[in-house]
């Protein structure tokens, strides 16, 4: 009985500690993989994965610029090599750029050393291309084995997750459907994931471009402001030179 009570108390303590580590994005420990910030302010971070992928990334950039919105782009190293000017434009416009692996291949991701090498090479590609070194990373498919999170930290990268705008975005249902789902999911502090690219090889993302527009319109009407994930989570976007 006493043992059970002690165990329960220990669990409650552990639960509290886990809550702090996993959920509080303002924790300096940054023990986990945050997918939103805990805030009551109507702020939301738009994030874009798997690019650059043209012409879709540039279309999104044109729109964000017009709306004076800054967002976060988790980019694939190979795509940055394919579209270096787009990557430079993203950073020059004040958006945040994060590391999203070199090839976005599932089989590489299952081999820890190969995956670590991909992350390291992508840091080099991004640094060489845009002149700054990212401090944020997101693993493909948001996989989060503890070893992967430790590996990110060895490379001075803070992992950032988020919520997918729509489970079927990859199949490009209509932009209206994508946006409806994204808006319904949004709460103060949400990090929304859109895809301007597709894996390492790109593809048609025209419905995502439409969805971004509709989502921004709807959330703006609800009083939301748009921030980068580093602003939202209170962490650095770039490593010091
Ligand atoms: Zn991805």
């Amino acid at each position: 009985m006493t043992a059970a009570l002690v165990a329960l108390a220990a669990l409650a303590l552990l639960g509290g500690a886990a809550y702090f580590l996993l959920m509080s994005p303002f924790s300096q420990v940054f023990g986990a993989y945050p997918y939103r910030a805990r805030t009551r302010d109507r702020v939301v971070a738009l994030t874009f994965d798997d690019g650059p992928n043209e012409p879709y990334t540039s279309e999104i950039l044109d729109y964000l610029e017009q709306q004076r919105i800054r967002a976060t782009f988790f980019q694939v190293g190979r795509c940055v090599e394919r579209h270096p000017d787009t990557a430079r434009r993203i950073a020059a416009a004040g958006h945040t750029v994060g590391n999203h692996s070199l090839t976005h291949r599932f089989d590489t991701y299952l081999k820890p050393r190969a995956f670590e090498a991909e992350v390291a090479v992508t840091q080099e590609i991004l640094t060489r291309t845009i002149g700054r070194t990212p401090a944020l990373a997101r693993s493909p498919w948001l996989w989060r084995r503890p070893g992967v999170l430790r590996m990110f930290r060895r490379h001075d990268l803070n992992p950032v997750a988020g919520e997918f705008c729509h489970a079927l975005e990859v199949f490009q249902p209509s932009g209206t459907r994508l946006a409806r789902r994204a808006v319904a999911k949004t709460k103060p502090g949400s990090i929304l994931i859109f895809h301007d690219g597709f894996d390492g090889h790109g593809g048609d993302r025209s419905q995502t471009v439409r969805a971004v527009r509709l989502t921004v319109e709807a959330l703006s009407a609800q009083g939301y402001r748009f921030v980068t994930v580093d602003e939202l989570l209170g962490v650095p976007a770039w490593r010091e030179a």
Side-chain angles (χ1 to χ4, degrees), residues 61 63 65-66 72 79 101 137 153 156 193 201 209 223 229 232:
L61 287 170
Y63 177 70
E65 215 163 278
Q66 191 192 92
T72 305
C79 302
S101 88
R153 274 184 213 98
D156 280 334
I193 303 176
H201 44 75
V209 175
V229 282
L232 184 70

Side-chain angles (χ1 to χ4, degrees), residues 49-50 74 76 100 104 138-142 164 195 197-199:
D49 287 6
D50 300 4
F74 288 94
V76 173
H100 195 48
H104 208 283
R138 176 179 280 164
S139 45
W141 312 284
L142 303 183
F164 293 107
H195 286 81
F198 176 55
D199 277 353

